[in-house]
Amino acid sequence: MLILEDEEEEAVCTCVPNHESENEACAEEENYEAEVAGSSGSDSEHQYDESIQSGDEVDRFRRKRKADDSPSTGDGVVKKPFSETGVESCRNNMQQNNPPDLRHWLNKFVQWSPAERKVAIDSLIVRCAPDQVRHMMQAIEPLFQRDFISLLPRELALTVLGYLEPVDLFRAAQTCRYWRFLTDDKLLWKEKCRRKGIGPMRKRPSSMPDTACSWKAAYMRHHVIENNWRFKRSAETAKFLKGHDDHVITCLQFYGNKILSGSDDTTLKVWSANTGRCLLTLVGHTGGVWSSQMVGRIVISGSTDRTLRVWDAYTGACLKTLTGHTSTVRCMRLYKDRVVSGSRDATLRVWSVSEGKCLRVLVGHLAAVRCVQYDGRLVVSGAYDYYVKVWNPETAECLHTLASHTNRIYSLQFDGVHVISGSLDTSIKVWDVETGALKHTLNGHRSLISGMELRSNILVSGNADSTVKVWDINTGQCLHTLSGSNKHQSAVTSLQSNSRFVITSSDDGTVKLWDLKTGEFIRNLVTLGSGGSGGVVWRIRASPTKLVCAVGSRNGTEETKLMVLDFDVPGACLKCED
């Protein structure tokens, strides 16, 4: 759990030993005396001997330590005073128990070379009794328990602390005030956030403790949100958004704190994820909506009425109607002012959104186009003719036809370098987009590849066989199979992943959370009461703090609705993510 170090209780520094035992105090003092004795040759020998007899050097050592540990104004840091009891006791012992030849022995020792001193020390240890060796250990050990962080320049200290994990930094902040001052450094936490992909936090949630470092607060919020995904019972406080009657919700998207849903009832709706209120109903299609996308204030939708429509997401006005396809618009991909649509008429079309006209028609597939990807440079399409094609959208030229599947293509992923295709033939294939070469065939599923998501080199695939798999596309290796006793009991309908979790939904009426790195089942986020008897979770989409599920049934046992679960920190600003 997150350690909140911003409590008012003062922490006592435990880095410097408190020297309550006389042996530890003597060890500190003897170490200092050895440094003095070995630093200035024959002239120091007389001074050293005098200090042994008079105790002046011990007093100087004590004053030095007291000054070092006294309140400092350098960084506003107050340190605890050093205990004097052990030093006084050690001085008394030295004055009372000095052997008669100690002075001569020490004078002889300091005249030897470093190598000779090591031989002498080895010989001394061999001749010591066990209790004397134990005394040496007790005297030496405290010398290695110095607070070296406080002795380093601030830049070096921060470099050292930068290697610690954040949870260790939270613990280090409780050590002493100076460590707490260092662990609140802005650049230190900014780097931790960068590694996790955490952006700046514009406003601190009211439930979080105040901290001078906004980057540290952002990391703390991120940590709490992650724990909420793992443990918080959010289904009990979920919001239910109703508006598509008993129809199927066919497409779903999160954009900021807005939700876009499309249905076979011919409408689209824009919702507020914070309040659950329906902001807009987009009416105009005369057939069911099967594809949609929102970017900024633009919404694009494709329908069984063979058209695409361009909407203003703020006013709900239909800005353009794009006509030209001769059958259902099954898929689309929007990039800046261009949208590429795929249809059951076996063609793809490239449109200008602002002009509302068709720029190119991509002809080559022999059956319905089921999925399309577009990155502004290349178009990749998959169809029921078993082929994947790569196109130049500026010239309408087909650059590659990727032929290896033996059944319909149902899903595609494209990162600009790799094309990943999933098919009814149960295989997933990884292609090089520049050469069209097949790099890997990922086998392991036993049914239709119903959905995929690619992040960096990690691919997550869902299947009608109720299993989910995690792959490394660089090696073609299956890293995890998300199954076992907690696996779905029916086909996987939708999935989403990020750097930590995989979220999956199923015909069995459940939404499950898995650990991406280990493949372990974490928990059920949603369990419908009608699951197993008709209740279905059709689609899921997630933002960093929320999950929306499109719920319904095929036999009337479950009302059609959107279910929104919130995992954010209480008191977070609702406007920050709009």
Side-chain angles (χ1 to χ4, degrees):
M1 295 297 293
L2 180 66
I3 298 175
L4 300 180
E5 69 282 16
D6 295 299
E7 298 178 2
E8 292 299 324
E9 182 176 299
E10 182 177 339
V12 179
C13 178
T14 58
C15 298
V16 180
N18 57 20
H19 303 285
E20 292 181 353
S21 71
E22 294 182 0
N23 287 336
E24 291 176 343
C26 289
E28 288 284 349
E29 184 173 354
E30 287 167 3
N31 178 63
Y32 179 77
E33 291 166 348
E35 293 175 354
V36 173
S39 64
S40 56
S42 59
D43 290 340
S44 67
E45 295 168 17
H46 176 70
Q47 298 171 359
Y48 179 77
D49 296 337
E50 291 297 324
S51 71
I52 292 288
Q53 295 176 1
S54 65
D56 292 340
E57 194 63 28
V58 175
D59 288 336
R60 186 157 69 89
F61 172 70
R62 183 187 63 193
R63 289 194 298 271
K64 179 179 182 298
R65 289 304 305 267
K66 185 174 181 180
D68 289 344
D69 293 317
S70 62
S72 167
T73 59
D75 287 312
V77 178
V78 180
K79 298 183 178 180
K80 293 293 181 182
F82 179 70
S83 174
E84 301 177 5
T85 306
V87 176
E88 294 289 351
S89 176
C90 182
R91 183 179 69 175
N92 294 334
N93 286 340
M94 291 177 63
Q95 291 176 343
Q96 296 172 8
N97 301 321
N98 282 347
D101 294 330
L102 176 62
R103 181 175 180 177
H104 173 72
W105 184 80
L106 291 174
N107 288 340
K108 194 69 175 175
F109 183 82
V110 297
Q111 293 174 4
W112 292 334
S113 67
E116 291 171 334
R117 291 182 186 183
K118 290 181 180 178
V119 173
I121 292 171
D122 290 341
S123 301
L124 177 63
I125 292 174
V126 171
R127 288 165 174 77
C128 286
D131 65 317
Q132 294 165 342
V133 174
R134 191 177 302 111
H135 175 76
M136 289 184 188
M137 294 173 61
Q138 293 173 345
I140 293 172
E141 184 179 3
L143 303 181
F144 296 94
Q145 296 179 352
R146 301 295 183 99
D147 179 7
F148 75 95
I149 290 291
S150 298
L151 300 177
L152 293 173
R154 181 182 175 191
E155 292 77 9
L156 288 180
L158 290 173
T159 300
V160 173
L161 292 174
Y163 287 98
L164 295 181
E165 292 297 321
V167 66
D168 297 320
L169 287 176
F170 287 129
R171 294 188 181 116
Q174 297 183 333
T175 302
C176 62
R177 290 187 179 182
Y178 186 59
W179 281 40
R180 179 174 176 176
F181 170 77
L182 288 175
T183 57
D184 272 343
D185 184 78
K186 176 181 177 181
L187 294 180
L188 185 67
W189 284 102
K190 185 176 182 179
E191 176 62 17
K192 297 295 181 186
C193 289
R194 185 193 67 78
R195 293 177 186 175
K196 281 277 191 177
I198 303 171
M201 186 169 61
R202 284 178 278 179
K203 187 175 181 181
R204 180 181 59 85
S206 59
S207 63
M208 289 181 61
D210 196 7
T211 175
C213 178
S214 60
W215 286 101
K216 182 179 180 180
Y219 193 97
M220 291 167 63
R221 180 191 179 201
H222 172 84
H223 185 87
V224 172
I225 290 170
E226 181 170 337
N227 279 344
N228 286 345
W229 277 96
R230 290 182 179 273
F231 306 114
K232 184 179 178 182
R233 298 170 64 90
S234 297
E236 298 176 356
T237 58
K239 294 183 177 68
F240 294 96
L241 286 53
K242 301 177 182 179
H244 288 294
D245 298 326
D246 292 328
H247 291 267
V248 175
I249 296 175
T250 55
C251 42
L252 187 65
Q253 182 191 348
F254 245 120
Y255 188 82
N257 262 342
K258 290 185 173 64
I259 299 168
L260 174 67
S261 62
S263 170
D264 63 357
D265 68 358
T266 76
T267 70
L268 300 101
K269 290 181 179 290
V270 180
W271 313 79
S272 167
N274 291 324
T275 64
R277 186 167 61 92
C278 181
L279 305 176
L280 292 170
T281 298
L282 308 181
V283 179
H285 281 297
T286 58
V289 176
W290 279 96
S291 56
S292 65
Q293 189 174 353
M294 176 191 290
V295 176
R297 63 183 299 156
I298 295 296
V299 173
I300 308 282
S301 59
S303 168
T304 59
D305 64 10
R306 301 173 293 180
T307 68
L308 292 93
R309 287 179 178 260
V310 182
W311 313 83
D312 187 314
Y314 285 26
T315 66
C318 180
L319 305 177
K320 299 282 190 308
T321 300
L322 311 181
T323 60
H325 282 297
T326 58
S327 188
T328 298
V329 179
R330 191 64 183 79
C331 53
M332 70 173 61
R333 186 63 58 176
L334 175 66
Y335 184 86
K336 295 184 178 179
D337 188 51
R338 297 286 186 270
V339 61
V340 179
S341 59
S343 169
R344 285 180 178 161
D345 64 12
T347 68
L348 297 104
R349 288 176 178 260
V350 182
W351 310 82
S352 168
V353 174
S354 58
E355 297 178 25
K357 68 177 184 180
C358 179
L359 303 177
R360 308 279 186 276
V361 180
L362 311 183
V363 179
H365 281 295
L366 305 176
V369 177
R370 179 63 173 75
C371 41
V372 63
Q373 295 285 324
Y374 175 47
D375 67 350
R377 184 176 68 96
L378 296 174
V379 172
V380 181
S381 59
Y384 286 172
D385 60 5
Y386 310 173
Y387 296 132
V388 177
K389 289 182 178 288
V390 181
W391 310 82
N392 182 336
E394 299 302 319
T395 64
E397 178 188 2
C398 179
L399 303 177
H400 303 294
T401 296
L402 311 181
S404 182
H405 284 293
T406 59
N407 214 321
R408 295 178 174 184
I409 311 297
Y410 273 85
S411 53
L412 279 179
Q413 290 289 293
F414 176 46
D415 63 0
V417 178
H418 304 95
V419 175
I420 298 96
S421 54
S423 168
L424 186 59
D425 65 13
T426 77
S427 71
I428 299 171
K429 295 184 182 290
V430 182
W431 315 79
D432 185 297
V433 72
E434 297 299 333
T435 65
L438 176 63
K439 298 181 68 174
H440 302 291
T441 298
L442 312 182
N443 292 312
H445 286 299
R446 299 191 303 272
S447 186
L448 164 70
I449 309 299
S450 55
M452 299 188 298
E453 187 160 292
L454 177 67
R455 289 181 179 272
S456 185
N457 64 309
I458 301 300
L459 176 74
V460 181
S461 61
N463 197 268
D465 65 8
S466 78
T467 64
V468 178
K469 289 181 178 288
V470 182
W471 313 82
D472 184 334
I473 63 168
N474 290 336
T475 64
Q477 179 185 3
C478 180
L479 303 178
H480 307 294
T481 298
L482 311 185
S483 56
S485 59
N486 292 299
K487 76 168 188 174
H488 287 294
Q489 301 303 308
S490 188
V492 174
T493 56
S494 184
L495 60 85
Q496 191 167 352
S497 67
N498 56 29
S499 60
R500 299 158 292 153
F501 304 128
V502 178
I503 311 168
T504 60
S505 65
S506 170
D507 269 348
D508 63 10
T510 64
V511 177
K512 295 179 181 289
L513 185 68
W514 310 80
D515 189 295
L516 176 67
K517 293 182 178 179
T518 66
E520 294 179 353
F521 171 77
I522 298 175
R523 64 169 176 146
N524 282 341
L525 295 173
V526 174
T527 304
L528 298 180
S530 59
S533 60
V536 177
V537 181
W538 286 309
R539 301 279 186 276
I540 55 170
R541 288 286 91 188
S543 71
T545 60
K546 293 179 178 64
L547 172 69
V548 57
C549 311
V551 173
S553 70
R554 295 186 173 89
N555 56 10
T557 58
E558 187 74 41
E559 184 180 10
T560 297
K561 55 184 172 286
L562 297 178
M563 185 177 182
V564 182
L565 283 65
D566 191 353
F567 302 95
D568 205 350
V569 177
C573 179
L574 300 182
K575 295 181 180 180
C576 285
E577 296 183 17
D578 279 339

